[in-house]
Amino acid sequence: MPIRHFLTLADLSAAELHNLLRRAEQLRAVHESGALHEPLRGRVLGMIFEKSSTRTRVSFEAGMSQLGGNAIFLSPRDTQLGRGEPIEDTARVLSGMLDAVMIRTFAHENVTRFAQAASIPVINGLTDDHHPCQLLADLQTWQAHRGDLTGLSAAWLGDGNNMCRSWMQAAELMGFTLRIGCPDDYAPHDLNDFANTQHHASPQQAVAGVDLVVTDVWASMGMEDEAKARNAAFAPYQVNAELMACAQAQALFMHCLPAHRGEEVSAEVIDGPQSVVWEEAENRLHAQKALLEWLVG
Ligand code: CP
Ligand code: NVA
């Protein structure tokens, strides 16, 4: 069988995505039961982090341990990658020693180049353009509360960033509508290629009647210099109680974290009864274990 990579959600068919989400729920139940499940005994995941991480690092590392394998944390500060060794050479070398590689980096092209040269599965742990692992957890969480997502609607508020693009791909695969509430200047450039995504400059219009409201930081990693301009542009898009009131009464709130209370979300929303952010964060573990089992097992 040819090697499979997970660089964007579009690497999966709808059926594969549904299977992974089902398996993630099963693995959550196994974990909660305390039973050992170690299909990846002797397998090793390399994890290259060129940006900071709490959830992604810990969920992959703990996930590999729980599946019976090991994970190695690789920082560009300590590896030759950080001193200019070509991506392709690194990919060939690591392919001879590891069973899979997860990469968090800046340009999305870095992961596609790595995957082209690798002979082991490559997982995107976040690039400037996509964050597909987070979407596995987000979809698992939304489904756990709502069942079949077909025909439902979610609102994305704020920056048309990496998370937003992964949500756009998720809407196509899962058959829900994504309503992006975002200033024109920050909307994803390829919106028109996504049949299930709509753009609204008005945050109230984006949120009107939706089942789920999602947001993320206004200045992603690597964009810190733009924070002042972004804070001004995105201020009307803050997810607060007033904006949540435009959604369905039972609407859920999600955020991939880390969050900035008082910026993209108010404390009353993220710490309130509609928020499922802690369950969403925990599901990173279960969803990625399903992914690892499928790619590496
Ligand atoms: N949501 C997420 O990817 O978190 P980390 O940056 O902590 O990995
Ligand atoms: N959009 C954010 C997500 C962090 C998990 C970033 O790229 O920094």
Side-chain angles (χ1 to χ4, degrees):
M1 239 183 43
I3 326 156
R4 297 291 298 267
H5 301 297
F6 186 57
L7 307 186
T8 80
L9 272 191
D11 286 329
L12 302 178
S13 67
E16 286 168 339
L17 178 54
H18 280 284
N19 286 340
L20 275 181
L21 297 174
R22 230 187 334 267
R23 186 63 183 147
E25 274 297 286
Q26 288 169 355
L27 289 174
R28 187 170 63 81
V30 170
H31 184 70
E32 284 170 2
S33 77
L36 288 183
H37 172 65
E38 300 184 324
L40 301 191
R41 213 169 250 282
R43 306 298 183 93
V44 183
L45 172 74
M47 307 188 300
I48 299 173
F49 280 96
E50 295 189 332
K51 290 176 176 173
S52 302
S53 170
T54 298
R55 281 144 287 267
T56 305
R57 177 180 177 179
V58 175
S59 53
F60 270 109
E61 203 163 322
M64 277 306 286
S65 296
Q66 290 166 14
L67 292 169
N70 285 291
I72 302 177
F73 176 79
L74 299 161
S75 150
R77 279 183 295 280
D78 315 316
T79 58
Q80 300 291 1
L81 202 51
R83 295 181 60 248
E85 184 167 10
I87 288 174
E88 288 77 8
D89 291 2
T90 307
R92 284 184 203 107
V93 170
L94 294 187
S95 292
M97 302 175 179
L98 300 170
D99 297 286
V101 171
M102 185 243 82
I103 307 176
R104 170 169 284 197
T105 184
F106 292 87
H108 188 75
E109 192 201 359
N110 292 343
V111 293
T112 53
R113 281 174 55 196
F114 196 104
Q116 271 160 16
S119 54
I120 54 175
V122 177
I123 298 168
N124 176 1
L126 181 147
T127 61
D128 290 345
D129 293 348
H130 294 276
H131 195 4
C133 290
Q134 181 69 49
L135 258 290
L136 296 181
D138 293 4
L139 295 171
Q140 180 189 353
T141 308
W142 195 13
Q143 271 193 341
H145 286 264
R146 295 291 187 263
D148 185 5
L149 305 181
T150 315
L152 296 188
S153 54
W156 172 270
L157 270 293
D159 193 13
N161 62 10
N162 44 10
M163 277 296 303
C164 179
R165 286 195 204 90
S166 289
W167 270 101
M168 288 159 64
Q169 292 187 328
E172 299 302 307
L173 285 164
M174 301 294 288
F176 61 85
T177 301
L178 183 69
R179 301 160 65 95
I180 300 179
C182 174
D184 290 342
D185 290 351
Y186 291 95
H189 57 87
D190 50 352
L191 269 170
N192 294 339
D193 299 341
F194 292 80
N196 289 359
T197 297
Q198 308 161 2
H199 172 237
H200 300 267
S202 151
Q204 290 79 14
Q205 269 178 23
V207 170
V210 296
D211 182 67
L212 170 69
V213 179
V214 193
T215 191
D216 185 14
V217 291
W218 291 337
S220 285
M221 289 181 277
M223 296 175 180
E224 290 81 1
D225 292 352
E226 299 173 28
K228 205 167 160 221
R230 285 170 167 270
N231 285 355
F234 290 121
Y237 298 83
Q238 185 193 68
V239 180
N240 49 34
E242 205 183 329
L243 196 58
M244 283 301 285
C246 301
Q248 282 180 31
Q250 302 303 316
L252 302 172
F253 171 76
M254 285 196 205
H255 189 310
C256 65
L257 307 177
H260 296 96
R261 287 171 178 77
E263 292 184 20
E264 75 274 7
V265 61
S266 67
E268 63 186 340
V269 169
I270 194 168
D271 299 319
Q274 289 168 278
S275 172
V276 291
V277 297
W278 311 120
E279 183 183 339
E280 178 189 3
E282 181 188 317
N283 281 336
R284 293 292 304 275
L285 173 71
H286 310 303
Q288 287 158 203
K289 282 168 76 178
L291 178 70
L292 289 165
E293 205 184 52
W294 179 62
L295 287 176
V296 184

